Amino acid sequence: MEIIKKEFLSLQDKEALLQLWNNEYPEKLNYQTIDEFDVYLNALTEKQHYFLINDENKIKGWAFTFLRENKTWFAIILNKDIQGTGKGSLLMNELKKNKSDLNGWVVDHENDIKKNKEFYKSPMLFYIKNGFTICEEIRIENQKMSGVKINWNIKNK
């Protein structure tokens, strides 16, 4: 597997990423169309995309960073067939290479259902293992997501 960094996404990239997003995230976070997905992506500023590509040139993981309120935020998604293999940490370390601080939201329960009707497994332990701090006092609660803020800072390594 190799990591490829991109600033701009092709239509083919977006189609593969939308499928990955909709398959692996809770169903209530799914986008119905490429246009909806585009609206989300286009609202983000200073995006950097990182693809985890397998030997068949298929996207098996995707992480991206973006700027929100002068802070670097990120999201990461892995195909379920490579979760737990260390590939997510490989991708996360790539994000950390050029950043001193990363912020994200993480679902901190296992009540959400995925598109395939399986329960979404919280990746909280993954983030703890990768040096993130759980900011328990900062939560997001809305129709789409219930979660807690996480932060990684190079000073806390």
Side-chain angles (χ1 to χ4, degrees):
M1 293 232 185
E2 71 173 313
I3 296 173
I4 296 174
K5 186 176 174 181
K6 287 190 173 187
E7 255 183 83
F8 301 101
L9 301 175
S10 69
L11 180 58
Q12 185 179 0
D13 291 339
K14 289 177 187 177
E15 288 169 347
L17 297 174
L18 177 60
Q19 184 176 3
L20 181 64
W21 178 292
N22 285 348
N23 287 341
E24 302 304 338
Y25 272 166
E27 193 169 28
K28 57 189 175 180
L29 289 174
N30 284 187
Y31 290 98
Q32 302 308 308
T33 65
I34 284 284
D35 289 340
E36 279 182 31
F37 191 49
D38 244 356
V39 167
Y40 166 73
L41 291 173
N42 289 337
L44 306 175
T45 59
E46 295 190 33
K47 297 177 287 287
Q48 288 290 323
H49 301 277
Y50 302 80
F51 296 171
L52 191 58
I53 307 289
N54 72 4
D55 295 338
E56 290 95 46
N57 213 26
K58 301 265 190 250
I59 298 171
K60 290 298 190 172
W62 170 41
F64 58 100
T65 59
F66 56 95
L67 205 58
R68 178 186 288 154
E69 297 173 358
N70 292 322
K71 293 188 179 198
T72 302
W73 285 73
F74 80 97
I76 185 171
I77 309 169
L78 294 180
N79 186 297
K80 70 178 178 186
D81 62 1
I82 65 164
Q83 292 174 9
T85 66
K87 301 298 186 215
S89 295
L90 183 75
L91 199 49
M92 186 58 66
N93 288 336
E94 189 67 27
L95 293 186
K96 292 174 180 177
K97 277 184 186 176
N98 301 311
K99 305 292 180 195
S100 59
D101 192 64
L102 289 170
N103 298 282
W105 294 112
V106 63
V107 172
D108 59 347
H109 57 83
E110 298 190 356
N111 304 323
D112 288 335
I113 304 290
K114 293 175 26 174
K115 183 176 162 183
N116 66 2
K117 304 306 175 205
E118 291 176 4
F119 281 97
Y120 175 77
K121 186 175 180 335
S122 171
M124 186 71 79
L125 292 176
F126 166 79
Y127 291 115
I128 292 169
K129 185 180 106 183
N130 280 278
F132 281 79
T133 301
I134 311 306
C135 308
E136 293 180 25
E137 69 285 357
I138 305 173
R139 295 193 59 81
I140 184 170
E141 299 287 345
N142 60 40
Q143 291 178 331
K144 289 187 168 255
M145 186 174 174
S146 170
V148 65
K149 183 180 177 187
I150 55 174
N151 172 264
W152 172 84
N153 191 295
I154 199 164
K155 294 178 203 153
N156 300 336
K157 252 171 72 169

